[in-house]
Amino acid sequence: MGNGDVTTDVSPQDGGHGQPVQAPPELPLDFEGFYLGHQEFFHDFAEIHLGSRRTAEQVVHQVFLEILGGWDALLQEGDLEQQTLAVLHRGVTRRLDEDGRPPAFLINGPIAQNLAAVRSQLELNSSAGGLYEAILELPTRQFTVIALRHLLGYPAKRIARYMGLDVRTVDYHGRKGKERLRIRLGLPAAPSKKKGAGQ
């Protein structure tokens, strides 16, 4: 019997008829830890873009297989959080391209409400369509921070953990993303807050 072959205790209901069944491969312990720590976030991120938990699960499954396939190289290259987030982003984008549709947050009611909240936080007064397009055009880190903070409601500390960044860096990308949106939409700069005399 080969390693991983199971030929006994096959249930007649399984229809296995004594066929060998491969045991799941042994996963690296550090990959298992990564999976357990990131799978909820990956699923949430995919679902907000794909609009369906089932589709999100399919895409995230493929994303984790891709990550597992290059696990050793990813560990050696460093910046694991950013690299795996890029794999997730590519997987979601690829599925949207295959389906020939925009991200679900453009068409789903609850997400549209969240985007309206983003708009008020950014003090934007232009059409919603322009905001959506502008968010999609943000660089990856800025887009991720804006989406996680304003669409999923994650606090900066949690975003920092998922992205492998310092909280101040997350805040920086959030500010840069907001500024890029303001410029892209042709909105005036917010009035600067002046410190009182004696401060």
Side-chain angles (χ1 to χ4, degrees):
M1 179 189 314
N3 228 358
D5 291 342
V6 178
T7 56
T8 59
D9 298 333
V10 176
S11 167
Q13 295 171 343
D14 292 340
H17 305 292
Q19 296 292 325
V21 176
Q22 288 287 10
E26 297 228 0
L27 299 174
L29 193 55
D30 47 3
F31 176 80
E32 285 188 43
F34 175 84
Y35 172 82
L36 292 173
H38 290 76
Q39 61 91 17
E40 179 184 351
F41 161 69
F42 275 39
H43 282 98
D44 288 347
F45 185 91
E47 185 175 3
I48 200 171
H49 288 81
L50 300 170
S52 145
R53 189 67 175 189
R54 171 176 273 182
T55 305
E57 287 172 354
Q58 292 168 352
V59 168
V60 169
H61 177 74
Q62 292 302 315
V63 165
F64 275 117
L65 288 176
E66 185 177 337
I67 290 169
L68 177 60
W71 185 247
D72 291 334
L74 288 170
L75 289 177
Q76 290 175 4
E77 291 173 20
D79 204 6
L80 181 66
E81 298 287 335
Q82 262 317 109
Q83 291 185 70
T84 54
L85 188 62
V87 175
L88 173 62
H89 197 269
R90 279 195 311 269
V92 168
T93 302
R94 185 169 45 239
R95 180 58 183 259
L96 289 170
D97 289 345
E98 288 170 5
D99 293 350
R101 63 185 180 88
F105 69 78
L106 296 182
I107 53 180
N108 286 349
I111 303 306
Q113 292 171 1
N114 283 341
L115 279 175
V118 170
R119 194 167 92 195
S120 70
Q121 286 181 8
L122 297 174
E123 299 177 354
L124 301 178
N125 297 316
S126 66
S127 74
L131 173 61
Y132 297 158
E133 291 165 6
I135 289 173
L136 289 174
E137 292 171 3
L138 289 172
T140 302
R141 283 189 176 188
Q142 292 173 15
F143 170 81
T144 302
V145 170
I146 294 292
L148 292 178
R149 180 175 280 167
H150 301 289
L151 301 180
L152 292 172
Y154 287 8
K157 196 172 194 179
R158 188 174 182 193
I159 297 169
R161 192 180 111 230
Y162 284 134
M163 294 182 71
L165 300 172
D166 185 88
V167 174
R168 290 173 296 188
T169 307
V170 168
D171 290 338
Y172 169 81
H173 287 301
R175 284 192 310 274
K176 294 303 266 186
K178 286 179 181 181
E179 179 64 10
R180 190 178 289 257
L181 290 172
R182 183 191 69 74
I183 292 169
R184 165 73 167 78
L185 296 169
L187 299 169
S192 61
K193 297 177 182 175
K194 297 188 179 190
K195 294 185 178 182
Q199 285 186 345

